[in-house]
Amino acid sequence: LPSTSKAHYLLCPVCLRTQDSLSCHLRRVCMKDKTPPQILEVVEKAKKDVCDLLKNGRAFSYAVLKQIVSSPNPLKGLIEELKNHHLFVTGVPPPLPIGNPRLVTETLSECPGEAPGETEPSDVESCGSNELFQCRQEKTYTKDKMVKAKDLGILKKHSADHPLLKRFADYLKNDYENAKYQQEVDTVSRYLYFADPTEPSLKFVNDREKLRDFLGQQAKAGYKAQTSGNYIKCLKRFLEFHLTRTGLRQDDRELYNKCTLYLSFLTSSQSVLSKQASKEIVQKRHALLFDKSQPTPRECLAVLDKSEGDLVKIMNQLDDSSSSSLSRTECIFVLYYLEAIVILRHCQRPCVVQNMKVSEWLERKHADDDSIVFVKDHKTAAHFVVSIVLSKKEEAWFEKYYTKVRPQLLKDGDDFFFVSSRGTPIYNAAGDLIKLQQKCNVPRVSSQVVRRVFETAANRLDDPQKKAVSDYLAHSGTTADKHYRMKSLESIVMLTTLLLLILTEQFNRRRPTKERVETWVKKQGWKCNAANISTEVVENWAPSGSEDRIMGNKQIQTLVKTQDWKGLHITQFEEKGDGIITTRTFKKGEVVCDYHGPVVSGKEGENIHKNTTGKETGYIFFFRNSKGQPMCIDAHSDRCHCHPDKRTFGRLLNHSKKKSNIKPLHCVVEGEMKDVILFIATKDLPVGEEVLFDYGVNKKSFNNEGSDLDWL
């Protein structure tokens, strides 16, 4: 209904469909490239027309109608009279040509009538003066290739409302179940226009040179061989439709034979283009292999790393029973983030996101701590059932979305797992990913790019592992026997581990030694280029990943347990006493060491602070844990009870507010729920530099009262 009781529906003069908010519709759809004054002018005219229609538009003169009926072309006169009353007729076919009716199409009387506004407008670019249905404004192109193609005349097409094309569209939509049938109809329509601009017909089978000319023009415009091959594939399907689903054989045997021969000609042309397309693909992959501008696996996940904190806050808000309802913006953010997980972290195509069903989520399988969702409807569904392996944390996020976020978005019952803000299934997951990347101000990384990056990164694996990753990504379309190698849940989880191995880059916050990398490579069983891997990793290593995931690195966990921190040395300073200097370079963002000692409550820490005198006062670190509770690490003893033979580095770090080169970061050891304070380098540290950090306290903090203690 209109937004107010006194408002009226207005007719859009471009698409000929009534709108409850014409100005909004024109601004977003039909006239989005026009200025506000131009849109306002159209809206005002539509208001005037509807007022005229309400005033006298329903009254027709009998004398005028009688004159129209007795005229040589009564239908044309009737349509003109309707237009004078601000009414329109859609779906009017072009004038019928003279000739074989099979070569043209059905007569006007055979074309079913349509009420105004019932059909989508045709995306045509040129119409005859006698055609009474309105055409969309001519489309403008910005890319050089499309501009050149337009100049060469290979983008023009016939109206999709023409019966010959409409029957083909119905066949693709209903019988062939092609979801993107309109795109294929437009492809056929472009070639039919190139072959005969007057009307679409089957006459093109009489002239094979036209196809060669068309392919030549596409090559001049810069079209790839694969694109030209798609045109031929659509033409073949168009001919197969007329050969098998119409009465062409009985009605015109000669034309039927010509279509059959032309179909063979298309097959041979397609074979030649297929070889050219294969060469183009090989050359493109070779160029990408040496393309330095390609993002790294870590950079592909930048949007997930940067926005994970916001997602965690929203998920924690859902845990609070008093505030389980989210704003529309928060719901959309959760939707976009979970879509990005499937596309970026699990390297799946957007169609997998768009076709994932609720039933597939509810029927997910479990293997150890992982859950596996099987998506059956996607681009390569004829050969693969896509498997998405979610970690325990990701599964919890998806479950909260399904139980608490999705019901706020969903308007009607629907089996699609992901629904848009309108409550309908999403139709452009790739666009949602772009919006999230724009919001987080990170470079765009598409599904195609991320799949290419991880496929290239997997080249260092041996052949069986390469094939396993290839199958998990569902990017190969070979015979079915090669696609059923992932029969057990355990093997699918193993393939996910291989992907995560590439994603996490193994040594993300602590530079490894060459010997450690060689040991790790040996465990992987890699053989190709194994001799060069360790040297390249050490030389090109840089800290990566989110700070929230530092404790997920096993190397950091081991160093915290053993206190075997390398690259540091305890030395004596004349005025300050003990201090720490570096014996190797540390890069910005690298973990230097930790603050080690027994963890007690904040109240116990204050009591220890009050009863501690002298220099030992500075060996207590106050912080708040993940629950916001005040806690304290008591390191006033020279040796901790867990490492009685070692002097830990963290307690010997000296204070400097101006020259501080590290910062403290509170973390929790995964699986143990143990609080740890890690020190992260805030700049590159050369050899021999003293490691300093700002205690964040004032002079009163060291008195025995302890009333002014600062908390991390």
Side-chain angles (χ1 to χ4, degrees), residues 119-287:
T119 59
E120 291 291 332
S122 303
D123 186 14
V124 294
E125 294 167 352
S126 63
C127 298
S129 58
N130 293 329
E131 294 176 332
L132 301 178
F133 58 90
Q134 293 194 6
C135 306
R136 291 193 179 185
Q137 297 173 347
E138 186 172 357
K139 188 174 182 179
T140 58
Y141 300 97
T142 56
K143 292 186 178 181
D144 293 341
K145 182 171 66 175
M146 301 304 292
V147 172
K148 188 177 295 185
K150 181 176 181 296
D151 294 339
L152 293 172
I154 58 176
L155 291 183
K156 292 183 178 180
K157 56 187 177 183
H158 289 292
S159 169
D161 291 328
H162 196 284
L164 188 71
L165 296 173
K166 288 190 70 174
R167 289 189 304 160
F168 181 53
D170 293 338
Y171 161 72
L172 294 176
K173 181 180 179 181
N174 301 323
D175 298 349
Y176 205 80
E177 298 182 355
N178 188 342
K180 298 182 179 180
Y181 65 92
Q182 192 60 51
Q183 181 178 349
E184 190 163 337
V185 172
D186 291 342
T187 299
V188 173
S189 178
R190 286 190 177 95
Y191 179 71
L192 295 182
Y193 188 94
F194 184 85
D196 187 357
T198 58
E199 79 281 339
S201 67
L202 295 177
K203 292 180 181 179
F204 68 91
V205 299
N206 296 321
D207 188 358
R208 298 187 179 186
E209 290 299 324
K210 277 288 184 181
L211 179 64
R212 297 189 178 96
D213 293 342
F214 186 76
L215 297 179
Q217 298 292 74
Q218 286 187 332
K220 289 181 181 179
Y223 281 33
K224 300 294 184 181
Q226 187 175 4
T227 304
S228 299
N230 289 336
Y231 271 79
I232 292 183
K233 181 180 68 174
C234 296
L235 279 176
K236 287 179 63 177
R237 194 168 293 164
F238 179 70
L239 285 180
E240 289 170 352
F241 160 68
H242 284 281
L243 291 174
T244 60
R245 298 301 181 97
T246 66
L248 179 61
R249 184 172 185 177
Q250 291 76 21
D251 297 342
D252 194 331
R253 187 59 178 265
E254 181 182 358
L255 179 60
Y256 176 86
N257 293 333
K258 289 182 179 180
C259 290
T260 304
L261 294 174
Y262 197 87
L263 189 62
S264 301
F265 167 66
L266 290 176
T267 302
S268 61
S269 302
Q270 189 178 29
S271 177
V272 175
L273 288 172
S274 178
K275 293 180 180 179
Q276 295 178 1
S278 298
K279 292 180 181 179
E280 291 176 353
I281 292 173
V282 171
Q283 294 170 1
K284 182 179 180 180
R285 288 179 177 175
H286 177 76

Side-chain angles (χ1 to χ4, degrees), residues 1-21:
L1 292 174
S3 55
T4 62
S5 59
K6 295 183 179 181
H8 297 288
Y9 282 105
L10 299 180
L11 181 71
C12 173
V14 181
C15 66
L16 297 183
R17 303 183 72 177
T18 52
Q19 307 290 337
D20 61 344
S21 179

